[in-house]
């Protein structure tokens, strides 16, 4: 096994340690640990705490590792990794040890050289030493996530390892490592009391990780990171009605979910989709930034130090376990510490951003009043759309004028407010003067484009991103251009770039080009400008003059002066220039001429870049650069024009497409001989082949991608091939490939691949809701339902993915491909009315009467007959229902056709009522009213939320059982007390027998394809 590098490691989502050793699997149950692991002599066992001794067996074939963890730790933070690891003691910190698989030691040495700097930074800002006596990093293959943190130990994926010649992977690896180390302080050492307090730990660890990022990569990178996650969080909340950080669940009989708009439950972490939980952590960090803005960073760091100091003191009390409660953090305890340290009450902030979901949505316009020299600003809030909430409080507005930049604090109280802001400058004409900026810099500006009567250059609302908000602000295009050129904030420049997409003018083209040529501008802003310039060029295709956009710039920066089509020898020592050189061809390839085709000049230019690429004198690898050039080739592809009956062959290819295909084939063949780091070129080639197929240049066949998606191929190549297969399933409506993908979901050895397949299907669903697709079949519904109920019971993440996929395909309503259920209308004898079966209710709540009439089969409605599946009216009710004594006759439905769902007013003056006979001497009138408020959900949120648990599905009751139960609930004077007691005892025995039989014989009774559901019962049940 050691020769094959066979290894095993623990992984799980949240508290999942009980799946590999017996324990009290709760974050709030702390204890000290002594662990022993007996493994083969060639293996190394790595676990939490200090390695006290290693003892070999008498035959020297096995050895036992003894680990001791004196720090009280929850079982959920215990981990294990066993394998033929190579060991590296950190040369800068001897208490830190690194482990990797054979032959990866050189990469491990380079990857971990900076780790001691992260330790020093965290200990400095927290003024507290690392809480554990040692720290171990283990790099394993086929890991579920890039990084997983446990007490005194982190497990990383081998894909994070890299050499000194790799540029792109270096910042990614350092960020993953720093985030895992931040979670050692808050998450592993300080644990949570309950799941609802998880946002505090995730927010604090994300906050101190963000401080490290600001110090290491600079403020621009940090602000870009904040802007990216703020956009993602607000987009998700506006589309899915919000992210709730601290859900509260009322106790008692009526337990209403705090998130009824979601198709999953937030009561437990195991029911949260991966995307939701990722954004949950991001929002927790953003809320910590709001708290920092309220109490200052100095006080917030003092709060962190206080929490760590109390936890360190408690952890040293090994024989006084009641003191260990100081190592558990709750929302109330965190707020109390903030109140003690800062003296400020932040409860209103917590109520708005933590205890309820939603973001603020602003719309802003302005008018400059020349006579009064004031800015009339109007701000409107959208408080009624999905995922929004009303904000009342301060708001900062920054106005850049001719005489400088000025901040104004406004008070927002109403949904629509008007503010008069005095201007400090007066308009001047044809006067040259340097303009002071916010950072104190003075610059020369060409003021010819601005309004001569206005001193305003640009306006920004909430420039510090101190709210969870989306802002749509209207200002003229020249103001966006000034903001892009001269504003030094990365967030402001990104906002200006996105706004200039709406103004495809020569002035916008010039502003974007100036940013690309400005070497002092942050490189991520320049990369965004390349994409925007391509869109502007496409919109100006009829008026564009000169060479294609960005070609002159690229030639001037990276090509030989003597020959413009030959690129210089690669030199990636300037990282900003490297990223620009890699992304400009990708953006250029997206340009189109008046006929919708990529200009021939652009394609020739990209082919020349590939042809003359020379990396011999470069100390950095060019694998990511070559992958980018292949992506650029794929972007030049446009849909082929061919007759419908024409067969697609290589000889009949368009000349441009043929050149692209030849280059892709050459790269694929070269990769088999000389593979590059992480096979990035192969993955890019597979994506390019799929683009050729989608545009009709080559036959659309999945065989190539299936070959590259097999187990044993490198993980990145597999994911690229699987993504192509998901796209093939969606475009070509292939049920065979869909089943092949679902087979991989059930049987692939790599859990991460199974997770990614489901994620891809969720992002690009092969069919749409309420659409008539050949993929929508009963077999698919039943397959997904079984996957949810039993196929993913061992992994909560896969189960959540399966639930998300079911929701993406079919929504909350009943799949259109399923036949009508046996239950058309459910008789509610207690309320004397019939209820439309929720399982056949449309998702939007429309066409209720149509469903009712169709389920009734014309004029006759269907009544539940329980788990026996017989049609109503076939035989007597006594034979259909459960066994009863002779003195307890079953309920009978009057009439020859059962309960009628619709009656004519001419025939019966009490239309809408029928009579149901409960006893021989009693009849009850039933109101035939459809409950349009019945829940349309499929019951996905009602599944057991604990990993590994299998739901027990109860079938719908028969009408005889419902009627008899209703009759027993009503007082009857002619029955003796003793007789009722005997009946009750009989029913109790029968109830348990029926439940036991149903559980054994119908394990998937709740499957939609079986025409039964959790919601098949009436509202009274």
């Amino acid at each position: 096994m050691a020769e094959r590098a066979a290894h095993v490691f623990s992984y799980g989502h949240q508290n999942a340690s009980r799946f590999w050793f017996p324990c009290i699997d709760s974050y709030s149950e702390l204890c000290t640990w002594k662990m022993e692991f007996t493994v083969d002599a060639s293996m190394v066992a790595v676990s939490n705490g200090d390695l006290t001794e290693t003892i070999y067996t008498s035959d020297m074939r096995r050895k036992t590792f003894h680990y001791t963890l004196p720090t009280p730790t929850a079982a959920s933070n215990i981990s294990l990794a066993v394998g033929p690891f190579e060991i590296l003691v950190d040369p800068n910190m001897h208490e830190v040890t690194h482990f990797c698989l054979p032959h990866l030691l050189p990469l491990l040495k380079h990857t971990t050289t900076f780790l001691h700097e992260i330790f020093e930074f965290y200990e400095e800002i927290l003024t507290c030493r690392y809480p554990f006596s040692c720290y171990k990093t283990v790099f394993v293959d086929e890991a579920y996530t890039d990084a997983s943190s446990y007490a005194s130990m982190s497990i990383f994926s081998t894909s994070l390892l890299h050499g000194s010649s790799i540029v792109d992977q270096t910042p990614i690896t350092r960020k993953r490592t720093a985030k895992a180390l931040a979670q050692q302080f808050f998450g592993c050492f300080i644990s949570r009391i309950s799941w609802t307090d998880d946002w505090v730990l995730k927010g604090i660890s994300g906050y101190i990780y963000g401080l490290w990022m600001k110090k290491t990569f600079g403020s621009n990178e940090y602000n870009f990171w904040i802007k990216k996650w703020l956009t993602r969080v607000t987009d998700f909340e506006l589309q899915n009605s919000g992210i709730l950080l601290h859900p509260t669940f009322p106790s008692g009989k009526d337990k209403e979910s705090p998130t009824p708009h979601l198709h999953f439950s937030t009561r437990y972490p195991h029911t949260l989709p991966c995307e939701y939980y990722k954004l949950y952590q991001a929002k927790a960090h953003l809320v910590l930034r709001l708290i920092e803005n309220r109490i200052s960073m100095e006080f917030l760091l003092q709060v962190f130090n206080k929490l760590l100091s109390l936890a360190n003191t408690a952890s040293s009390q090994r024989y006084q376990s009641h003191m260990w409660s100081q190592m558990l953090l709750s929302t109330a305890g965190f707020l109390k510490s903030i109140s003690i340290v800062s003296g400020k009450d932040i409860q209103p902030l917590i109520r708005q951003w933590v205890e309820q979901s939603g973001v603020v949505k602003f719309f802003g316009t302005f008018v400059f009043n020349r006579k009064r020299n004031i800015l009339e600003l109007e701000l409107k809030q959208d408080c009624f759309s999905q995922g929004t909430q009303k904000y009342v409080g301060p708001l900062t507005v920054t106005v850049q004028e001719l005489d400088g930049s000025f901040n104004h604090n406004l008070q927002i109280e109403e949904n629509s407010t008007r503010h008069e802001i005095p201007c400090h400058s007066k308009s001047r004409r044809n006067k040259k003067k340097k303009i002071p900026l916010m950072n104190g810099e003075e610059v020369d500006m060409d003021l010819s484009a601005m309004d001569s009567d206005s001193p305003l250059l640009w306006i920004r609302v909430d420039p510090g991103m101190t709210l969870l908000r989306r802002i749509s602000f209207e200002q003229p295009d020249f103001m966006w251009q000034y903001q892009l050129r001269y504003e030094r904030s990365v967030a402001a420049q990104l906002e200006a770039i996105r706004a200039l997409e709406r103004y495809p003018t020569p002035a916008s083209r010039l502003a974007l080009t100036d940013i690309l040529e400005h070497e002092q501008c942050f490189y991520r802003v320049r990369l965004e400008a390349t994409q925007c310039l391509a869109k502007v060029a496409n919109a100006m295709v009829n008026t564009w003059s000169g060479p294609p956009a960005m070609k002159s710039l690229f030639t001037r920066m990276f090509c030989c002066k003597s020959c413009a089509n030959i690129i210089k020898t690669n030199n990636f020592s300037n990282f900003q220039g490297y990223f620009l050189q890699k992304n400009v061809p990708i953006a250029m390839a997206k340009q189109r001429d008046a006929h919708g085709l990529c200009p021939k000049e652009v394609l020739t230019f990209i082919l020349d870049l590939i042809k003359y690429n020379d990396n011999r004198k470069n100390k950095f690898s060019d694998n990511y650069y070559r992958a980018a050039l292949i992506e650029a080739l794929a972007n030049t592809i446009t849909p082929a024009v061919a007759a419908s009956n024409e067969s697609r062959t290589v000889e009949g290819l368009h000349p441009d497409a043929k050149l692209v295909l030849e280059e892709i084939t050459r790269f694929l063949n070269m990769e088999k001989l000389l593979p590059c780091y992480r096979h990035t070129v192969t993955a890019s080639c597979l994506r390019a082949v799929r683009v050729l197929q989608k545009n009709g240049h080559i036959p659309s066949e999945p065989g190539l991608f299936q070959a590259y998606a097999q187990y044993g191929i490198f993980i990145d190549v597999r994911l690229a091939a699987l993504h192509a297969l998901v796209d093939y399933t969606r475009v070509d409506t292939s049920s065979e490939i869909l089943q092949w993908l679902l087979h991989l979901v059930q049987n692939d050895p790599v859990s991460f691949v199974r997770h990614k397949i489901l994620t891809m299907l969720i992002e690009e669903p092969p069919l749409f809701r309420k659409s008539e697709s050949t993929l929508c079949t009963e077999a698919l519904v039943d397959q997904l339902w079984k996957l949810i109920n039993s196929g993913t019971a061992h992994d909560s993440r896969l189960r959540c993915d399966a639930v998300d996929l079911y929701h993406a395909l079919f929504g909350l309503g009943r799949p259109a491909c399923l036949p009508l259920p046996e239950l058309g209308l459910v008789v509610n004898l207690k309320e004397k009315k019939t209820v439309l079966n929720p399982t056949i209710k449309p998702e939007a709540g429309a066409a209720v009467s149509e469903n009712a009439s169709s389920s009734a089969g014309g004029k006759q409605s269907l009544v539940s007959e329980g788990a026996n599946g017989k049609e109503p009216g076939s035989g007597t009710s006594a034979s259909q229902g459960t066994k009863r004594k002779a003195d307890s006759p079953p309920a009978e439905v009057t009439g020859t056709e059962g309960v009628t769902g619709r009656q004519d007013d001419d025939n019966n003056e009490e239309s809408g009522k029928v009579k149901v006979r409960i006893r021989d001497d009693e009849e009850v009138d039933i109101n035939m009213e459809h409950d349009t408020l019945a829940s349309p959900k499929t019951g996905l949120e009602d599944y057991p939320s604990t990993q590994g648990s299998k739901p027990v599905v109860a079938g719908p009751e028969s009408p005889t059982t419902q009627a008899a139960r209703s009759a027993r609930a009503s007082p009857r004077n002619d029955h003796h007390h003793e007789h009722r007691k005997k009946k009750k005892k009989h029913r109790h025995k029968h109830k348990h027998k029926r439940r036991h039989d149903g559980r054994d014989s119908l394990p998937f009774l709740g499957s939609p394809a079986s025409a039964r559901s959790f919601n098949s019962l009436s509202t009274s049940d």
Side-chain angles (χ1 to χ4, degrees):
M1 291 191 296
E3 291 78 9
R4 295 186 291 108
H7 60 288
V8 63
F9 57 93
S10 61
Y11 71 93
H13 182 57
Q14 296 290 330
N15 50 325
S17 296
R18 63 187 180 277
F19 283 95
W20 65 279
F21 74 96
C23 61
I24 302 177
D25 199 4
S26 172
Y27 281 99
S28 60
E29 297 291 337
L30 307 180
C31 61
T32 57
W33 297 83
K34 289 183 179 180
M35 296 164 285
E36 300 178 3
F37 304 100
T38 301
V39 298
D40 191 80
S42 60
M43 297 291 175
V44 177
V46 186
S47 188
N48 311 86
D50 299 312
L51 178 62
T52 56
E53 60 179 346
T54 304
I55 302 176
Y56 280 84
T57 57
S58 57
D59 57 358
M60 302 298 291
R61 298 178 60 183
R62 294 180 179 86
K63 55 185 175 181
T64 302
F65 292 81
H66 295 258
Y67 283 92
T68 302
L69 182 61
T71 304
T73 305
S76 307
N77 288 322
I78 300 299
S79 61
L80 169 68
V82 179
F85 297 120
E86 296 186 8
I87 305 174
L88 173 66
V89 178
D90 196 292
N92 300 295
M93 298 181 65
H94 298 298
E95 61 267 31
V96 178
T97 311
H98 312 289
F99 301 84
C100 69
L101 295 173
H103 313 299
L104 297 177
L105 189 59
L107 300 180
L108 180 67
K109 290 180 179 179
H110 178 77
T111 303
T112 57
T113 52
F114 65 95
L115 188 61
H116 67 283
E117 300 176 3
I118 307 176
F119 271 97
E120 294 172 0
F121 175 81
Y122 286 154
E123 291 179 350
E124 180 181 354
I125 65 168
L126 296 174
T127 60
C128 179
R129 289 188 57 84
Y130 175 68
F132 298 102
S133 58
C134 63
Y135 183 63
K136 295 179 281 291
T137 62
V138 186
F139 290 84
V140 299
D141 195 19
E142 299 180 1
Y144 211 123
T145 57
D146 286 343
S148 301
S149 296
Y150 304 94
S152 74
M153 176 179 174
S154 295
I155 296 179
F156 297 97
S157 172
T158 53
S159 60
L160 296 179
L161 295 173
H162 61 87
S164 58
S165 62
I166 304 301
V167 177
D168 298 63
Q169 186 62 40
T170 301
I172 298 175
T173 299
R174 295 194 177 189
K175 291 175 183 178
R176 297 288 189 277
T177 308
K179 191 171 185 179
L181 187 56
Q183 292 173 352
Q184 291 291 315
F185 293 88
F186 293 93
C188 296
F189 179 60
I190 295 183
S191 187
R192 69 191 188 215
I193 291 182
S194 65
W195 149 242
T196 55
D197 305 314
D198 187 54
W199 75 272
V200 181
L201 297 176
K202 293 297 185 291
I204 296 176
S205 61
Y207 177 81
I208 61 176
Y209 161 68
L211 296 180
W212 171 85
M213 181 186 293
K214 181 187 293 186
K215 175 184 177 295
T216 306
F217 296 98
S219 298
N220 286 335
E221 180 71 18
Y222 173 76
N223 290 330
F224 178 84
W225 179 62
I226 294 295
K227 175 69 175 176
K228 180 186 72 172
W229 282 107
L230 178 61
T231 303
R232 290 188 60 179
V233 168
T234 53
D235 289 346
F236 183 88
E237 295 223 37
L238 293 175
Q239 293 174 6
N240 301 276
S241 300
I243 302 170
L244 189 60
L245 295 182
H246 191 270
T248 55
F249 300 91
S251 59
K253 185 175 181 181
D254 298 331
K255 297 182 179 180
E256 296 182 359
S257 173
T259 53
H261 52 275
L262 300 175
H263 64 277
F264 52 86
S265 173
T266 57
R267 184 181 292 270
Y268 303 98
H270 304 107
T271 57
L272 300 183
C274 293
E275 182 66 17
Y276 180 90
Y277 189 62
K278 187 184 301 181
L279 296 173
Y280 171 95
Q281 299 178 67
K283 184 175 181 179
H285 170 224
L286 295 174
V287 170
L288 259 292
R289 290 186 71 250
L290 302 186
I291 296 176
E292 175 209 356
N293 185 60
R294 184 67 59 87
I295 69 173
S296 79
M297 185 175 72
E298 181 182 359
F299 281 140
L300 190 58
L301 292 179
Q302 289 181 19
V303 171
F304 299 161
N305 175 259
K306 176 184 172 74
L307 296 174
L308 288 171
S309 299
L310 292 176
N312 275 319
T313 303
S315 65
S316 61
Q317 307 294 328
R318 302 182 183 177
Y319 302 104
Q320 299 180 13
S321 58
H322 64 277
M323 296 287 295
W324 295 350
S325 61
Q326 298 291 337
M327 303 178 66
L328 300 177
L329 186 59
S330 65
T331 302
F334 179 59
L335 298 182
K336 183 179 179 181
S337 298
I338 291 177
S339 177
I340 293 175
V341 172
S342 66
K344 296 182 179 180
D345 182 20
I346 62 169
Q347 193 62 41
L349 184 148
I350 297 299
R351 280 196 296 268
Q352 179 163 21
W353 302 113
V354 176
E355 296 180 356
Q356 66 180 7
S357 61
V359 296
V360 183
K361 195 173 182 181
F362 283 114
F363 300 93
T365 57
F366 78 96
V367 174
F368 176 69
N369 191 327
R370 180 185 175 187
K371 294 182 179 180
R372 299 174 58 192
N373 197 36
I374 63 172
L375 168 66
E376 297 177 355
L377 180 67
E378 181 180 8
L379 291 175
K380 296 181 179 180
Q381 286 192 69
D382 182 3
C383 306
F384 305 102
S385 298
Q386 177 177 272
T388 60
Q389 60 170 296
K390 183 178 180 179
Y391 174 72
V392 176
L395 182 67
T396 302
V397 175
T398 301
V399 181
Q400 177 66 49
E401 303 179 24
L402 293 174
D403 292 341
S405 183
F406 303 93
N407 289 331
H408 304 273
N409 293 321
L410 309 180
Q411 187 67 23
I412 306 298
E413 296 180 353
E414 302 294 336
N415 294 344
S416 179
T417 56
R418 291 179 177 271
H419 305 272
E420 294 184 352
I421 301 175
C423 294
H424 300 76
S425 310
K426 291 186 178 181
S427 61
R428 60 177 181 266
R429 303 177 182 177
N430 303 324
K431 291 184 180 180
K432 291 283 186 178
K433 184 180 179 181
K434 288 189 175 183
I435 309 298
L437 302 179
M438 176 64 75
N439 60 353
E441 180 184 358
E442 294 186 353
V443 296
D444 291 323
M445 293 188 188
D446 182 9
L447 304 178
S448 59
M450 69 176 295
D451 187 359
S452 59
D453 296 331
S454 172
L456 304 178
L457 292 174
W458 64 81
I459 303 171
R460 297 187 61 204
V461 180
D462 188 28
M465 295 179 287
T466 58
L467 297 176
L468 304 184
R469 82 294 187 275
R470 174 185 285 181
I471 299 175
S472 300
F473 193 77
E474 296 293 334
Q475 59 184 5
D477 58 343
F478 71 86
M479 300 181 74
W480 291 116
Q481 293 159 12
Y482 282 137
Q483 180 174 323
L484 175 60
R485 279 194 176 102
Y486 303 110
E487 177 62 70
R488 297 300 180 246
S489 170
V490 171
Q493 290 177 312
L494 294 176
E495 292 171 1
I497 288 174
R498 293 186 177 90
L500 288 179
E501 293 180 4
R502 307 192 303 266
Y503 302 101
T505 61
S508 299
R509 170 188 175 182
L510 182 60
L512 293 168
T513 305
D514 290 344
I515 284 295
L516 288 176
E517 295 177 347
H518 190 15
E519 295 184 357
Q520 299 302 318
C521 183
F522 185 49
Y523 80 101
R524 290 191 183 273
V525 175
R526 298 170 75 185
L527 300 185
E528 290 289 334
T530 60
Q531 304 298 324
C532 181
L533 187 56
K535 297 178 181 177
V536 170
N538 290 336
M540 296 176 57
V541 63
N542 295 323
T543 59
W544 187 275
S545 59
M550 296 171 281
K551 182 183 177 183
S552 301
L553 169 69
F554 191 93
T555 302
R556 186 167 57 255
M557 295 179 62
F558 305 109
C559 292
C560 298
K561 296 182 179 179
S562 58
C563 188
N565 64 329
I566 297 180
I567 192 171
K568 298 177 183 177
T569 302
N570 291 338
N571 183 10
F572 298 155
S573 57
N574 183 350
F575 292 156
Q576 294 204 21
Y578 160 70
F579 285 111
L580 192 65
Q581 180 180 351
K582 189 179 70 171
N583 283 270
V584 166
I586 297 176
M588 287 179 59
K590 296 180 180 179
Q591 298 181 59
R592 297 293 181 263
D593 57 18
H595 302 287
L597 304 176
C598 180
K600 181 70 175 178
E601 187 177 356
V602 172
L603 177 59
T604 305
F605 180 72
I606 296 175
L607 291 174
D608 286 341
L609 293 181
I610 296 174
K611 180 179 179 180
Y612 297 111
N613 179 50
D614 186 2
N615 203 60
R616 289 175 295 178
K617 297 182 180 181
N618 190 16
K619 65 178 182 179
F620 298 104
S621 173
D622 68 338
N623 63 302
Y624 285 96
Y625 174 62
R626 287 184 286 132
L629 292 179
I630 297 171
E631 182 181 352
L633 280 181
N635 287 342
T636 63
I637 300 299
T638 53
V641 179
S644 58
N645 57 354
E646 180 181 349
S647 60
R648 290 171 290 185
T649 60
V650 178
E651 292 76 10
L653 272 178
H654 189 275
D656 294 346
K658 190 173 184 179
L659 291 174
V660 173
L661 182 59
E662 289 176 353
E663 288 296 330
I664 294 173
T665 306
R666 184 177 67 85
F667 272 112
L668 273 177
N669 293 331
M670 287 294 295
E671 273 287 287
K672 294 179 180 178
L673 300 176
L674 299 172
C676 64
Y677 174 74
R678 295 189 64 170
H679 300 271
T680 53
V681 175
T682 301
S684 185
C685 288
L686 292 178
R687 289 189 286 266
V689 170
R690 180 56 196 156
V691 172
L692 286 170
Q693 290 184 354
K694 286 176 62 176
N695 286 276
H697 293 283
I698 60 177
S700 184
E701 296 177 355
L704 174 68
F705 306 119
Q706 287 179 291
Y708 277 100
Q710 297 295 334
Y711 176 70
I713 306 295
F714 187 73
I715 184 69
D716 290 4
V717 178
R718 293 192 68 194
L719 294 180
L722 290 169
H723 187 271
L725 289 172
V726 169
D727 185 72
Y728 175 84
T729 304
R730 180 179 60 87
V731 175
D732 291 30
T733 320
S734 174
S735 59
E736 180 182 355
I737 298 301
L738 179 59
Q739 289 300 318
W740 190 84
L741 291 171
L742 293 178
H743 177 76
L744 279 185
V745 169
Q746 296 174 348
N747 302 289
D748 195 88
V750 184
S751 298
F752 177 67
V753 171
R754 303 167 67 186
H755 163 68
K756 291 299 292 184
I757 294 174
L758 290 173
T759 303
M760 294 173 188
L761 289 172
I762 294 168
E763 294 174 352
E764 299 181 10
L767 58 97
F768 298 96
R769 303 175 190 173
K770 301 180 182 179
S771 63
E772 296 182 1
S773 174
T774 57
L775 299 178
C776 185
T777 61
E778 294 184 41
L780 176 62
V781 177
D782 195 61
Q783 187 176 7
L784 291 178
W785 195 265
K786 291 181 179 179
L787 188 66
I788 294 170
N789 280 271
S790 62
T792 55
H794 63 286
D795 193 334
S796 65
R797 282 174 285 200
L798 290 180
R799 183 178 183 276
C800 291
D801 291 335
V803 171
D804 281 355
L805 178 58
Y806 189 96
H807 179 259
L809 298 181
F810 308 114
L812 298 177
R814 182 179 181 83
C817 60
L818 298 186
L820 295 177
E822 297 177 5
L823 306 174
L825 297 177
V826 179
V827 181
N828 188 334
L829 298 176
K830 184 176 181 180
E831 299 181 8
K832 298 183 179 181
K833 67 177 181 180
T834 58
V835 181
L836 181 64
N837 192 335
T839 61
I840 60 173
K841 183 179 179 293
E843 184 177 0
V848 175
S849 60
E850 296 179 7
N851 282 337
S853 61
S854 62
S855 63
K859 291 186 177 182
Q860 178 182 355
S861 66
L862 301 178
V863 182
S864 170
E865 286 300 325
N868 52 15
K870 294 185 179 181
E871 295 291 331
S874 57
T876 62
S877 300
S879 62
Q880 300 168 9
T882 58
K883 296 181 180 180
R884 297 182 179 273
K885 292 184 178 180
D887 58 353
S888 179
E892 295 180 1
V893 180
T894 60
T896 58
E897 297 295 336
V899 179
T900 305
R902 192 186 331 178
Q903 298 181 5
D904 296 332
D905 295 337
D906 298 336
N907 299 332
N908 190 354
E909 59 181 2
E910 292 185 3
S911 59
K913 288 188 177 181
V914 296
K915 292 185 178 181
V916 177
R917 181 169 299 165
I918 305 300
R919 296 278 190 263
D920 294 337
D921 56 348
E922 182 179 6
E923 290 184 351
V924 180
D925 292 334
I926 302 297
N927 292 323
M928 298 303 295
E929 300 175 359
H930 300 325
D931 189 359
T932 57
L933 299 179
S935 172
K937 291 192 176 184
T938 57
L940 302 182
E941 74 283 356
D942 297 326
Y943 292 166
S945 52
T946 306
Q947 281 185 313
S949 61
K950 183 175 180 179
V952 179
V953 183
E957 291 187 274
S958 66
T960 56
T961 309
Q962 294 181 9
R965 186 175 61 186
S966 178
R968 291 193 300 268
S970 60
R972 296 184 54 83
N973 298 326
D974 54 346
H975 283 70
H976 296 289
H977 175 71
E978 185 176 352
H979 179 64
R980 290 202 305 264
K981 190 174 182 180
K982 290 182 180 180
K983 287 172 60 183
K984 183 176 182 180
K985 183 177 180 181
H986 174 74
R987 290 195 305 270
H988 185 71
K989 290 174 60 179
H990 176 71
K991 178 181 179 182
H992 282 278
K993 179 178 182 301
R994 185 166 178 260
R995 183 182 302 172
H996 178 72
D997 294 340
R999 185 180 303 166
D1000 294 339
S1001 60
L1002 296 171
F1004 294 105
L1005 192 60
S1007 170
S1010 63
R1012 307 180 188 279
S1013 171
F1014 290 143
N1015 288 334
S1016 295
L1017 301 179
S1018 65
T1019 54
S1020 63
D1021 296 328

